[in-house]
Amino acid sequence: MTTVYEHLLWTGSGRNKATLSLSDEEARLVYSSDWMGLGDQQWTLRFAHRRLSPRFGILRLLSAEYHHNPKRSKDDTLQKRGEVTSKAHVPENPTELDDLNPLPIPYADFEYIMLEGGEPWIADDPVLEEIASMGYAGWSQTFDLILLLHCTQQTSAEDDGGTHLDEVLKKLDQCKFSSAS
């Protein structure tokens, strides 16, 4: 059985949206971001899934695909929607989830915690609360699942810079999802 969770944060300038589908052995996360002047960026992340308790588990990154659809390219033509501009894959036989050694990519794991009954979602940035009160921002009122990036020896939360994949993984750290199924 697949359980679906959704994340949405929007303002008058754009939005971040993520859909997480969890099944018994795998997970898929589609993250899209569309902010003024940056174009529509979308990631499709595939994970191995290991449930450690009824409300806690680990997602190990297996592959990532990045799609970018700028509003206009340099030569003023539109790119095809959904064009894959880069991919990242781990070896065909990834490290088992109970192996203490991380995968050969430095950003392999997320932990997740499921919450019972939903918790109130208060914006991380106080400015968002003010903008929302004027009707120019919004998000789900409650959340049922939170993702936590598991930092390994190769990367840390203090790491400044990195690839596009590093950036999206950091955006997903502490991301709050509401049950959609």
Side-chain angles (χ1 to χ4, degrees), residues 86-134:
S86 64
K87 292 183 180 185
H89 293 281
V90 297
E92 281 186 36
N93 298 313
T95 306
E96 293 299 319
L97 284 171
D98 35 342
D99 186 348
L100 297 177
N101 296 317
L103 289 172
I105 54 175
Y107 27 72
D109 296 341
F110 276 97
E111 297 176 32
Y112 68 84
I113 301 170
M114 293 180 185
L115 306 166
E116 190 170 345
E119 291 291 320
W121 182 358
I122 300 169
D124 300 330
D125 185 343
V127 174
L128 284 174
E129 293 285 346
E130 186 176 332
I131 295 170
S133 70
M134 296 183 283

Side-chain angles (χ1 to χ4, degrees), residues 140-161:
S140 299
Q141 296 300 307
T142 61
F143 65 98
D144 303 292
L145 181 143
I146 187 166
L147 281 182
L148 303 167
L149 180 61
H150 178 75
C151 298
T152 65
Q153 184 178 1
Q154 295 101 329
T155 190
S156 69
E158 295 81 33
D159 186 17
D160 58 353

Side-chain angles (χ1 to χ4, degrees), residues 6 139 142:
E6 292 180 342
W139 53 88
T142 61

